Amino acid sequence: MPIPYYLAISGILFTVGVVGVLVRRNAIIIFMCIELMLNAANLAFVAAAHSLGKMNGQVFVFFVMTVAAAEVAVGLAIIVTLFRNRETIDVDEVNLMKH
Amino acid sequence: MTLQQLAQAHNISILAPEVVLSLTAMAVLICGAFFPDDAQRRFLPWLAFLGVLISAISIIPLWNRNLQPDGGVLYFGPHSSDHDTAIYVVDNFSLFFKYLFLFTLAVTISISNRFLTAREGDRHTVVGEYYALLMLSAVGMMMVASARDLLVIFLGIETLSIALYILAGFARVRWVSNEAALKYFLLGAFATGFLLYGIALTYYATGSTLLSQVRVVAANPSLAPPGAGSFTYLYMGLAFILIGLGFKAALVPFHQWTPDVYQGAPTPVTAFMAVGAKAAAFAALLRVFPYAFGTSDAAVIGHKIILVMAVLTMTFGNIVAIEQNSLKRMLAYSAIAHAGYLLIGVLATNSAVRSGHNLEANYASAGVLYYLLAYALMNLGAFAVLVYLENAGATAHLPGRDSEETDLKMDDLRGLARRQPLAAAALTVFLLSLAGIPPTAGWFGKFFVFYAAMQQGLIGLLIVGAINTVISFYYYSRPIVAMYMHPEGATPAVDGIEVAGVSPDGTAIVGNTGVATGVSAEVLVAITVCAVAVLAMFALQGPALEWLKNAALLPGGVGR
């Protein structure tokens, strides 16, 4: 399959992720949408690496996966702490400080 | 290949500052796990401080390192004779930022003491993790400053951000701290997604994430390797990278997280992220824009976008800061506004590079560095004073679950000049500097970036900057007026200060009263150092700029 197809899928994934972050109110779902954005970037890296005939794009994906894993660990910890204190993970209810 | 050969072949010695800091972080973490609580509280700050000191000393022999044959660079994969293909470079530009981060770290460590001894609910705050995370975050900032590859910038930014997400929520039982961590995390990770996607698209369009390679292809599309994407991807990549870095530098319209996070995070952490994270983002902006995209057509659009962002950032930050009542929140909006002024310098550098005025580009970039240094000193100082006042007042009650107790309001400052003349004087110096009034470093900071903008004919930007400076006088003067001209309110919220206050002769703050109420001497040292430095940078502005010119970026994207 030609490369633009893969990039199109990656673009769609990224857009789904962005829209999800903007419209969903559950912290965990927002977080999953962010992961979707990162994976869209991974797909773009792999497709580009294939198209360019270079390996380094595929190596980048490993870096990104590592970083994403670290982010998951920290992010879930933050969400759990919030839930313990407030018993909600709805981002609209987390608004103690005024704008 | 032995480890030693490997180290030599890859120039590992140039990583000394980062390695020292990482190892100290590990040591602090391990000590934090094994030593009893009280011992930790006493000696871990000193261990951390020692690490910072050794790291700073290890930078000294690296100065001018990239004039040597090996160029002080690291490669991805085998060595090359072409220094342009290095992913990591230890030039004076990065070393300046490393000093800046280490200084920020030192100040943050010295003002964190009291926050860490406060009891959180039924237990103490963990100490080892706190210092270790601060140091690891600083390592991330150092990586960003040295990066010559988009992926290394990404890794550096993630290293610093992930540590900061945790630090923002470090006061675990406080709701505002939880909220700050959640907002910082979600929006920071969102920005990361944009940054990464931008890097992926740039990679597709140019066949590389190396800034030098991006520069070549961006300037001349016909040099793109076979199989590379069209130029549209480069434009999109540029835009996405700009969004990603814009979030980290808190540029309007990507600033929404800033006030809440700055207000909710523990104050020492706020100081650290306001200065460190922003400086790191600007290090990346300076490397990526004037250098990698500076000569391309994409940069013309990029330049215009940054111009609009600069105007929005300054204006929005200053106007919203006016109506703030919480001091931390006001400083958050002021930090946004200052990012706008810094962007003026970046834009001036960018246009000087584009028009080939190398000397002017050099000075413009040195001006940005001077501004960043001044910004670091005055913000660290201002936050240190806030920490001092919080400490003095926080003795009456334990840190609670809502934000009101430790959040200083404008009214709390009423009559402070009589109760705490030295703290009031120090805060005045920092606020005057933030406003850009002589004799403070802030004045020359603004002067240098405005002058660079004038040289490049960015007159409109200059006028907006000047108007904004005038607007900012209003809200910076409010605390000063409250401190010196208003009588004490009927019920001052920070009533503890009176107890913590000065001895009858009005000078000795450190004395018995200070210690008894939990104001530690380190905070006072930090405040004094920042205040003296802010004034000294005004007096020595000429030598400072000349010295910074050695660290400023040259058109080659390397700081000499």
Side-chain angles (χ1 to χ4, degrees):
Chain A
M1 259 202 323
I3 299 300
Y5 288 5
Y6 292 98
L7 284 170
I9 290 181
S10 128
I12 291 169
L13 277 179
F14 188 78
T15 316
V16 170
V18 172
V19 173
V21 171
L22 296 178
V23 303
R24 301 304 292 257
R25 305 277 48 113
N26 181 312
I28 290 186
I29 292 180
I30 291 179
F31 188 33
M32 285 160 68
C33 292
I34 291 169
E35 290 298 308
L36 207 55
M37 290 165 65
L38 295 183
N39 284 323
N42 280 347
L43 186 59
F45 266 126
V46 174
H50 183 75
S51 165
L52 292 157
K54 288 185 173 178
M55 288 305 287
N56 54 1
Q58 305 194 17
V59 178
F60 297 159
V61 172
F62 288 108
F63 283 104
V64 177
M65 281 158 67
T66 318
V67 167
E71 242 175 30
V72 170
V74 169
L76 288 182
I78 288 172
I79 294 173
V80 167
T81 316
L82 182 84
F83 185 76
R84 275 182 169 172
N85 283 335
R86 304 277 299 271
E87 294 188 353
T88 178
I89 50 169
D90 187 321
V91 290
D92 281 342
E93 289 177 31
V94 185
N95 54 358
L96 285 178
M97 288 167 281
K98 59 177 179 296
H99 301 289
Chain B
M1 196 184 253
T2 67
L3 200 63
Q4 198 182 3
Q5 281 169 327
L6 191 78
Q8 276 167 356
H10 286 277
N11 258 335
I12 296 295
S13 67
I14 64 172
L15 291 177
E18 289 91 330
V19 171
V20 169
L21 213 52
S22 314
L23 290 179
T24 319
M26 301 301 156
V28 167
L29 205 52
I30 291 169
C31 292
F34 287 109
F35 285 89
D37 241 22
D38 290 340
Q40 277 183 40
R41 254 161 259 283
R42 262 202 309 282
F43 93 96
L44 280 191
W46 293 105
L47 182 59
F49 196 76
L50 186 72
V52 174
L53 203 64
I54 297 176
S55 179
I57 292 171
S58 73
I59 292 181
I60 296 172
L62 294 174
W63 193 260
N64 282 335
R65 180 69 163 75
N66 71 311
L67 298 179
Q68 290 178 24
D70 66 13
V73 292
L74 290 179
Y75 300 91
F76 184 68
H79 241 217
S80 144
S81 57
D82 180 11
H83 289 169
D84 262 359
T85 60
I87 59 167
Y88 202 84
V89 59
V90 178
D91 52 5
N92 292 351
F93 176 77
S94 69
L95 294 179
F96 161 80
F97 276 100
K98 285 173 196 180
Y99 272 130
L100 185 69
F101 298 143
L102 288 173
F103 179 76
T104 310
L105 191 54
V107 171
T108 311
I109 290 171
S110 51
I111 62 178
S112 300
N113 216 339
R114 173 72 187 150
F115 153 64
L116 288 171
T117 44
R119 290 183 79 87
E120 294 285 342
D122 58 340
R123 53 185 298 184
H124 276 111
T125 324
V126 280
V127 179
E129 285 86 338
Y130 178 81
Y131 292 114
L133 285 169
L134 274 183
M135 282 185 274
L136 290 175
S137 181
V139 171
M141 294 170 188
M142 291 176 159
M143 282 170 65
V144 176
S146 273
R148 286 250 284 162
D149 184 290
L150 289 171
L151 203 74
V152 180
I153 290 181
F154 166 75
L155 290 176
I157 283 186
E158 279 306 282
T159 312
L160 84 89
S161 302
I162 292 179
L164 279 180
Y165 300 151
I166 310 173
L167 286 170
F170 215 79
R172 278 172 305 173
V173 298
R174 284 183 46 202
W175 289 11
V176 283
S177 188
N178 294 157
E179 183 175 331
L182 183 77
K183 286 184 175 164
Y184 195 26
F185 168 70
L186 287 181
L187 288 173
F190 188 51
T192 299
F194 276 98
L195 179 66
L196 191 69
Y197 204 67
I199 294 173
L201 293 176
T202 310
Y203 173 70
Y204 182 49
T206 61
S208 175
T209 51
L210 274 175
L211 292 185
S212 54
Q213 200 58 38
V214 171
R215 173 188 173 83
V216 168
V217 179
N220 189 350
S222 63
L223 291 176
S230 74
F231 227 49
T232 321
Y233 291 106
L234 188 66
Y235 284 84
M236 284 168 65
L238 174 69
F240 280 27
I241 292 173
L242 192 55
I243 294 174
L245 292 179
F247 262 105
K248 298 294 173 189
L251 307 178
V252 178
F254 312 115
H255 65 282
Q256 291 93 341
W257 57 275
T258 320
D260 285 350
V261 174
Y262 281 23
Q263 190 185 2
T267 313
V269 176
T270 310
F272 185 69
M273 74 170 115
V275 174
K278 186 160 293 194
F282 270 93
L285 272 175
L286 271 173
R287 278 241 208 249
V288 172
F289 286 96
Y291 176 58
F293 290 98
T295 45
S296 67
D297 290 339
V300 180
I301 299 173
H303 190 88
K304 282 177 188 148
I305 295 174
I306 301 180
L307 196 107
V308 173
M309 278 164 79
V311 171
L312 286 177
T313 307
M314 283 186 286
T315 314
F316 181 84
N318 278 323
I319 288 177
V320 183
I322 289 176
E323 60 189 36
Q324 299 310 317
N325 202 26
S326 151
L327 276 171
K328 268 166 102 179
R329 221 173 160 79
M330 185 205 90
L331 284 174
Y333 282 107
S334 120
I336 295 175
H338 279 276
Y341 300 131
L342 279 161
L343 272 188
I344 296 182
V346 175
L347 284 166
T349 314
N350 203 1
S351 21
V353 167
R354 285 181 59 76
S355 54
H357 292 118
N358 293 347
L359 189 66
E360 288 177 11
N362 204 213
Y363 269 109
S365 148
V368 177
L369 298 190
Y370 183 96
Y371 199 115
L372 271 173
L373 191 56
Y375 169 85
L377 290 170
M378 56 210 189
N379 264 292
L380 286 173
F383 280 114
V385 175
L386 292 199
V387 169
Y388 172 80
L389 296 177
E390 281 174 8
N391 290 355
T395 47
H397 37 66
L398 293 170
R401 280 177 172 255
D402 63 358
S403 64
E404 299 307 317
E405 290 185 79
T406 52
D407 198 32
L408 272 175
K409 301 277 189 257
M410 290 286 179
D411 285 344
D412 299 338
L413 293 177
R414 290 163 76 96
L416 191 74
R418 260 184 301 116
R419 284 173 289 155
Q420 297 266 31
L422 289 186
L427 188 57
T428 308
V429 169
F430 298 129
L431 289 171
L432 287 180
S433 183
L434 284 163
I437 294 171
T440 54
W443 189 78
F444 268 111
K446 285 216 175 66
F447 175 78
F448 288 143
V449 293
F450 286 2
Y451 185 74
M454 197 183 73
Q455 267 189 325
Q456 301 310 317
L458 302 166
I459 302 297
L461 200 56
L462 192 65
I463 293 171
V464 176
I467 293 174
N468 269 293
T469 307
V470 176
I471 297 176
S472 74
F473 289 163
Y474 173 72
Y475 65 84
Y476 287 128
S477 64
R478 268 181 68 199
I480 301 177
V481 170
M483 285 189 295
Y484 282 92
M485 297 174 196
H486 285 175
E488 229 161 280
T491 50
V494 192
D495 46 1
I497 287 183
E498 210 116 41
V499 196
V502 285
S503 57
D505 61 350
T507 45
I509 302 182
V510 204
N512 301 330
T513 46
V515 172
T517 49
V519 173
S520 59
E522 295 91 341
V523 179
L524 291 169
V525 172
I527 294 173
T528 315
V529 168
C530 290
V532 169
V534 163
L535 296 173
M537 269 184 75
F538 177 83
L540 302 172
Q541 99 297 126
L545 190 72
E546 284 305 316
W547 183 75
L548 287 172
K549 205 158 73 69
N550 292 322
L553 279 185
L554 295 174
V558 180
R560 200 178 296 273

